[in-house]
Amino acid sequence: MKRKAICAAVALVLLTALAVAQAQEQYLDVYTAQVKPEKRAEFDAISKKMVAANHQNKGDAWLTTETVYGTGDRVTFISTRSSYGDVEQATGAFYGSLLKSYGKAGTDKLFQDFSQTVVSTHSELRRRRWDLSSNAPSDPAAMAKMLAESRWLRTTVVHVKPGQIAAFEALLKEVKTAREKMSPPVTTLVSQAMAGQEGTAFYVTSLQSSLAGFDTFPTIQKTLGDEGYVRYLKTISETVESSETVINRFLPDLSNAPEDVVAAAPDYWTPKTAIVAKAKTAKDAVVNASQNTKMDDKK
């Protein structure tokens, strides 16, 4: 009896810790660049300079992905934020790191060169919806491990019709409940656009260490059963305006991954550009800083 009571207490503590961890707000600061195909090499080179500066000067951290199935030459930089204030602070850290490495004129030139490599850019702030995610990592260490071991992301972007948010969220909660009963567990992470997106958009993402991993991902019909699947299709037709599924892969050489992610898989995530940056001389920095081309501060 005493043993059962102890087990129950331990389970309660773990569930409480999980609830607290997931109750904490978390945002995804997402910057997407549509790169000119003929400028891709230049885009990568400039991005690596930004990685090196932020890595050396302990600036901002981010993970970079490239769309493989979807619009080509689309590169996305994703940072995790704890609040709107954190967004502002991280933006300052990013820009400050570039200033330390290249000076004001050199930084302006870097941004100007960057703008010449892209067709367009798009910034978006998304809020993690832990209440709609299934089998989400229970703590920051588990999240870092999952990210570190992942190489591919499959994301379905769902645009919900006006006035149908509650019905769509109820559907996602039904799917979440079903997935959390499955064995082996299936993890999906849901976020919702808070700024930078027209209308209401949800993002449902699964991560895998290889493309083959998606072969084992159960279909919605298998997850919900035949009757549940019929209800699912009906609700989707009533609540969803449009949807799109894309597959991205991580680009470690264009990422300045958070320290806990690097620690979980250092061979994959350690920025190779940092080694190059350390070899730069003070003379290089002076040459960069001496260039006088001006542009509006972008960060």
Side-chain angles (χ1 to χ4, degrees):
M1 190 63 141
K2 183 177 180 182
R3 185 176 181 180
K4 288 183 178 180
I6 292 174
C7 290
V10 170
L12 179 60
V13 169
L14 292 176
L15 287 173
T16 301
L18 174 59
V20 170
Q22 295 189 355
Q24 294 175 348
E25 290 283 23
Q26 189 178 89
Y27 297 88
L28 299 177
D29 191 355
V30 182
Y31 181 84
T32 302
Q34 187 61 48
V35 185
K36 296 176 181 178
E38 70 277 12
K39 296 286 187 178
R40 182 56 192 268
E42 294 172 53
F43 174 89
D44 286 1
I46 294 169
S47 297
K48 288 176 182 179
K49 288 182 179 180
M50 294 180 177
V51 168
N54 277 268
H55 184 73
Q56 278 185 295
N57 301 313
K58 300 188 182 300
D60 194 15
W62 63 87
L63 301 180
T64 304
T65 69
E66 175 184 39
T67 300
V68 177
Y69 291 93
T71 303
D73 291 301
R74 180 165 291 178
V75 179
T76 302
F77 304 85
I78 308 168
S79 297
T80 302
R81 313 296 190 204
S82 60
S83 65
Y84 280 78
D86 189 28
V87 173
E88 186 173 27
Q89 184 178 7
T91 300
F94 174 86
Y95 187 64
S97 294
L98 296 182
L99 288 176
K100 288 180 181 178
S101 290
Y102 302 109
K104 179 64 167 65
T107 298
D108 287 347
K109 180 64 163 57
L110 197 66
F111 282 135
Q112 183 184 56
D113 291 343
F114 181 89
S115 69
Q116 296 301 311
T117 67
V118 299
V119 177
S120 62
T121 61
H122 180 81
S123 296
E124 188 175 341
L125 192 64
R126 305 171 190 168
R127 181 167 68 91
R128 287 281 197 200
R129 292 297 304 269
W130 299 118
D131 57 323
L132 305 178
S133 303
S134 63
N135 297 300
S138 58
D139 54 55
M143 174 65 84
K145 185 175 186 297
M146 183 182 73
L147 289 172
E149 295 175 350
S150 297
R151 303 293 178 264
W152 297 87
L153 309 87
R154 185 175 67 183
T155 299
T156 298
V157 187
V158 182
H159 293 267
V160 179
K161 295 177 181 178
Q164 296 295 328
I165 298 175
F168 182 72
E169 288 181 344
L171 179 64
L172 288 184
K173 288 179 181 178
E174 182 180 348
V175 174
K176 166 188 170 73
T177 298
R179 281 180 171 151
E180 291 185 340
K181 293 178 181 178
M182 300 183 77
S183 181
V186 175
T187 296
T188 56
L189 301 177
V190 179
S191 59
Q192 180 181 353
M194 304 302 293
Q197 183 65 262
E198 293 185 9
T200 301
F202 289 85
Y203 299 80
V204 183
T205 299
S206 57
L207 299 95
Q208 296 290 339
S209 60
S210 68
L211 272 177
F214 295 117
D215 290 331
T216 62
F217 203 87
T219 64
I220 289 292
Q221 185 170 6
K222 183 177 180 181
T223 300
L224 297 178
D226 291 338
E227 290 185 12
Y229 185 58
V230 171
R231 292 195 307 273
Y232 173 88
L233 293 176
K234 182 176 185 298
T235 304
I236 287 294
S237 68
E238 296 171 345
T239 62
V240 174
E241 195 169 72
S242 65
S243 66
E244 177 191 15
T245 299
V246 298
I247 297 179
N248 289 0
R249 69 183 181 96
F250 282 114
L251 299 177
D253 55 333
L254 301 190
S255 302
N256 187 34
E259 291 181 359
D260 52 355
V261 173
V262 174
D267 290 343
Y268 181 76
W269 288 107
T270 300
K272 297 178 177 60
T273 50
I275 299 173
V276 176
K278 287 180 181 178
K280 288 180 67 65
T281 65
K283 181 179 178 181
D284 293 328
V286 171
V287 170
N288 284 326
S290 68
Q291 300 183 46
N292 296 317
T293 303
K294 299 292 184 181
M295 69 171 287
D296 292 334
D297 292 346
K298 188 174 181 182
K299 288 285 182 180

